[in-house]
Amino acid sequence: MDKLLEVNGLTKQFSQGFVIGRVILTAVERISFFIKPAEIFTLAGESGCGKTTTAKVVLGFEEATSGEILHNGKPQTRKEKVWITQGVQAIFQDPFCTFNPLRTVDSYFYETVRNYRLANSKKEAMDWIDRKLRLVGLTHQEFAGKYPSEFSGGQLQRISIARALLTDPKLIIADEPVSMVDASLRMSIVNLFKQLKDELGVSILYITHDLATAYYVSDRIAIMFRGNIVEMGAVEQVLMKPRHPYSKLLRDSIPQADPKKRWTTSIRLSELEEEEYLRQGCKFAGRCPDVMDACKSVVPKDLYFEDALVKCHKYSGN
Amino acid sequence: MEEKKNPILRTDQLQTFYVLDMQGTQKIIKAVNDVNLNIYENEIYGIAGESGCGKTTLLKALFADIVPPLRLIGGKVYYRVNGKDEIEATALSAEEKRKLRLEFISNVPQGCMSVLNPVLKVKETYKDFIASHVREQSRREEIFDRAHKQILEFGLPKNVLDVYPHQLSGGMRQRVTVALAALMKPRIMIGDEPTTALDVVVQRGVIQMLKEIQKKLKNTIVIVSHDMGVQANIADRIGIMYAGKIVEESTAERIFDRPLHPYTQFLIHSLPKLGDKTIRGSVPGSPPSLADLPDGCPFHPRCPKVMEICRRQMPDFSYPDENHKVACWLMEEGKHGQAA
């Protein structure tokens, strides 16, 4: 099997309100993607686009409304959760919230080793932990017996990566792993992902709103907008030659670290998020510069180009 | 550039430390250490640096909001109100400061979620702000009318005043707080990471709005952001802060074209760019604790070009150009250059 993780037609709906005035919000709408072994796949988009919901469903924290999730070609069910968590580990956004401030950080490591029966003795457990810590550039002495408050954010994020590596996972789901880390230390985390992919063959589902690091680190990328994947393909294609107007807007909004390349055009922002979610047809129609009549009523189909998928009426004509 | 002579906001060897008394032992956190700033009218001044370098504390001091445990250890902050003589902001009484705020100097806060009162409609917050500065009822109404017009000018929807904060999206809420800060046409607006928690597209909208306000009011904006991309897009001049000190200051063009301090070089060269997949390193190590600064130049433990003198003595500013100052021993030795 060539696909480590496959998501087919995943839909997740949340309902708001009670009986009267009940609104159903579709957070994720029939999205499909797959991840190959030793690949970094990015889900990018703004907040409220459904990328974190997707991660939660894949991790089994939320039940999908419809659609299927296959790990190595086998469907994900509740029974097989242990098998899945051993192969799929997660890294979260805020490293200070990942660990309980009143517990030492290493206790999490010993707990994971015990839960998955990774070692037979204390000595073996220590060696195992030390080996994983070295992968992220830390040593056992540096962290033994310390509390989360004694580390910096960047260090703590490395530690949570080391913890995720304990079970030798095939796939790491990283939900905004660098957004809380200082810009100057961000690259060290992103470089670490590259290194894990190259040296250990770990695949990473990298969820981010930061397209610059996404371009730097990933192989393929999917741009999400209000629950839909609007464009998906190789990162060079999608970010350098975007086809969907939203991908273009997103790419052009990255602030360039060059005062000569300041923005010259002005943009329009959405007024209410809910309005966009409930919109018929293409969700981006409200602020799309190339909007047509069809966009407002008909949901665009997924169009396959040789190297990318685009969900836009602009390209459906021919 | 004729107003260059008269800074509207000036600090003179400003030192503000957090003094914590922990059961008899004193812990001193040197958050702002010997900072000289000259900020002029009609410019956007950016302050950049990592978290924990004292940027937020510096803003507090500029806002003359020094309350324990933060203490003014030395130096002064001066305002030039109405283009007249300088007044010492740190010596003003609470009532005088309150009068200056919003009318002369205003603050654009970071966490837009917690700024607006969740149980009041946005217009009530506006009225509160106006009532705290204007005594006469008729003038209050006049200013409230102006607020209506101003909101349309800034491209916000007109019903924004009649809704509760939770009905607005994050970007809209942040733009409402920016509009609120600009209400009384202040001469100085201070923003502490005003775009940090926002998405890229929304961030672009807020930056666009700040620039429009500055153009319209011809006032001064001081903006703190750790994101060099944001700084490049908004700031006219940038000061790079490290461990409580300004280590380099120049125009945005020069900072990005020819950074001289090794720390600035790291900050700029560690940013990934679209269309460029070459391996980029980050700044090695982590920022020092402000309670326990290393001797000499605070950057020396992380600096790749460290020399013997860096470990012993803090360098003075050198001026490679009229508008450019940098505190690094490499400048004294004439060995400055581009990043390795």
Side-chain angles (χ1 to χ4, degrees), chain B residues 299-320:
Chain B
F299 189 59
H300 86 253
R302 303 170 77 187
C303 185
K305 295 173 185 168
V306 62
M307 296 179 295
E308 199 40 51
I309 191 163
C310 305
R311 293 178 225 268
R312 280 183 280 116
Q313 217 181 330
M314 176 69 198
D316 281 332
F317 277 113
S318 14
Y319 297 83

Side-chain angles (χ1 to χ4, degrees), chain A residues 230-263:
Chain A
V230 295
E231 190 162 356
M232 177 161 70
V235 69
E236 285 84 4
Q237 168 63 35
V238 173
L239 291 182
M240 297 319 288
K241 284 175 262 166
R243 288 193 175 93
H244 197 283
Y246 179 68
S247 318
K248 280 183 196 150
L249 172 71
L250 202 57
R251 193 198 63 169
D252 294 341
S253 299
I254 303 172
Q256 298 261 340
D258 188 346
K260 289 178 218 104
K261 289 187 194 154
R262 291 187 178 185
W263 298 305

Side-chain angles (χ1 to χ4, degrees), chain A residues 292 294-295 300-305 310-318:
Chain A
M292 296 180 287
C295 304
K301 285 195 195 70
D302 291 350
L303 299 168
Y304 293 91
F305 291 79
V310 183
K311 201 181 176 79
C312 182
H313 277 303
K314 240 172 99 180
Y315 301 96
S316 58
N318 33 36

Side-chain angles (χ1 to χ4, degrees), chain A residues 46-47 182-188 191 194 209 211-213 215-216 218 235-236 239-240 249-263 265-267 269-273 287, chain B residues 50-51 157 167 169 172 175 199-205 207-208 211 226 228-230 232-235 252-253 256-257 267 270-283 285 302:
Chain A
E46 295 175 89
S47 45
D182 247 306
S184 55
L185 299 172
R186 210 166 269 181
M187 291 317 289
S188 68
N191 282 334
K194 260 194 161 159
H209 64 261
L211 292 186
T213 56
Y215 179 84
Y216 176 75
S218 51
V235 69
E236 285 84 4
L239 291 182
M240 297 319 288
L249 172 71
L250 202 57
R251 193 198 63 169
D252 294 341
S253 299
I254 303 172
Q256 298 261 340
D258 188 346
K260 289 178 218 104
K261 289 187 194 154
R262 291 187 178 185
W263 298 305
T265 53
S266 47
I267 51 157
L269 295 176
S270 69
E271 288 165 15
L272 292 164
E273 278 178 12
R287 24 181 194 140
Chain B
E50 288 168 282
S51 44
Q167 290 171 287
S169 67
M172 193 57 70
R175 288 191 293 159
D199 286 314
V200 279
V201 179
V202 181
Q203 168 170 292
R204 182 174 165 189
I207 291 174
Q208 188 179 303
K211 279 167 106 170
H226 70 272
M228 292 304 279
V230 171
N233 264 289
I234 190 165
E253 286 80 11
F256 283 93
D257 272 357
L267 274 187
S270 67
L271 290 173
K273 281 196 197 98
L274 280 185
D276 182 5
K277 274 202 164 189
T278 48
I279 299 287
R280 281 164 193 279
S282 59
V283 190
R302 303 170 77 187

Side-chain angles (χ1 to χ4, degrees), chain A residues 117-133:
Chain A
R117 297 177 181 83
L118 297 169
N120 293 321
S121 65
K122 179 106 187 187
K123 177 80 183 60
E124 236 181 276
M126 258 173 85
D127 286 346
W128 184 268
I129 291 166
D130 196 44
R131 213 175 316 143
K132 299 297 174 193
L133 282 170

